[in-house]
Amino acid sequence: MKAMHLIIAMLVMMSLASCSADGNDPVENSVSTYLLEKTYGARSFTYKENNSDKLKLSELPAISLSEADHILSVLRKHTDAQEELDIRTATKGEQTWLRIVMKQTIDHKYAFTIQLNMNCYSDGSLYYGGYQAECSSSLIKWYLKGFSLATDNATKNYKFESQSYIYMKVIDNGIKYMQIPVTIKGNYNPRNHDAAFSYNL
């Protein structure tokens, strides 16, 4: 009888140990990764894909999935967003060199800066001359694929758009790189040199 009790006790202890081990099962972390994918359109990728070397993603610190979710949530909500606009022009003959710098700071620590370079002519035409973009946070990398530029027939303003990506390095049963799409849209009014942009995460 004592032997039977001992066997039952051992089975109960083994069952508890199994449950405890299951608590650290990779499935729990993969669900969190799945939530990032469903909530923000994130996708995981290998380091050698896309612009990894150019962006030096290996320099990113590894963060937890919960920290990654917090950062993306703050960016999506635009917490305490502050916008700055700096437009500079220089005219030479019939050509005006135009530099538009737009900066948006989220939650007092995530600053996204876009600089658009354009050339204007006396006939009203506008030509796109490239861009620069940077993000102040050391926890993420930001990559833009370039801008499309078109005329808004209703307002005669120029509108621009870009597909960009935020990259993170997260801890999920080892190191995993995540790519999150961010769509940028903006406009420029050549009559008063006013410009604005927004992004959708």
Side-chain angles (χ1 to χ4, degrees), residues 99-157:
R99 188 189 76 174
I100 303 174
V101 180
M102 294 164 289
K103 181 177 179 181
Q104 188 173 91
T105 304
I106 312 296
D107 200 31
H108 304 289
K109 57 184 175 181
Y110 304 108
F112 295 85
T113 304
I114 297 174
Q115 176 179 314
L116 291 179
N117 302 315
M118 292 182 281
N119 292 316
C120 304
Y121 292 87
S122 56
D123 62 359
S125 58
L126 182 72
Y127 293 91
Y128 171 57
Y131 75 95
Q132 294 177 357
E134 62 181 27
C135 176
S136 64
S137 175
S138 62
L139 300 179
I140 62 180
K141 294 278 188 177
W142 188 36
Y143 170 72
L144 279 77
K145 296 183 69 173
F147 282 94
S148 63
L149 186 66
T151 304
D152 187 332
N153 293 326
T155 63
K156 301 304 180 184
N157 292 342

Side-chain angles (χ1 to χ4, degrees), residues 74-198:
V74 167
L75 295 180
R76 172 172 281 184
K77 293 175 182 176
H78 284 53
T79 307
D80 295 325
Q82 296 179 346
E83 296 186 8
E84 300 173 43
L85 177 65
D86 180 30
I87 298 180
R88 297 188 182 183
T89 62
T91 302
K92 184 178 182 180
E94 295 186 354
Q95 179 180 350
T96 299
W97 172 78
L98 178 66
R99 188 189 76 174
I100 303 174
V101 180
M102 294 164 289
K103 181 177 179 181
Q104 188 173 91
T105 304
I106 312 296
D107 200 31
H108 304 289
K109 57 184 175 181
Y110 304 108
F112 295 85
T113 304
I114 297 174
Q115 176 179 314
L116 291 179
N117 302 315
M118 292 182 281
N119 292 316
C120 304
Y121 292 87
S122 56
D123 62 359
S125 58
L126 182 72
Y127 293 91
Y128 171 57
Y131 75 95
Q132 294 177 357
E134 62 181 27
C135 176
S136 64
S137 175
S138 62
L139 300 179
I140 62 180
K141 294 278 188 177
W142 188 36
Y143 170 72
L144 279 77
K145 296 183 69 173
F147 282 94
S148 63
L149 186 66
T151 304
D152 187 332
N153 293 326
T155 63
K156 301 304 180 184
N157 292 342
Y158 291 95
K159 54 185 180 180
F160 52 88
E161 185 172 351
S162 175
Q163 182 62 56
S164 71
Y165 299 94
I166 286 175
Y167 292 92
M168 295 177 162
K169 183 163 66 173
V170 299
I171 302 172
D172 180 25
N173 295 318
I175 299 299
K176 181 178 290 187
Y177 292 94
M178 303 294 293
Q179 179 192 66
I180 303 94
V182 181
T183 301
I184 302 168
K185 293 184 178 181
N187 60 76
Y188 166 67
N189 184 333
R191 293 172 295 281
N192 59 10
H193 294 306
D194 190 23
F197 85 103
S198 62

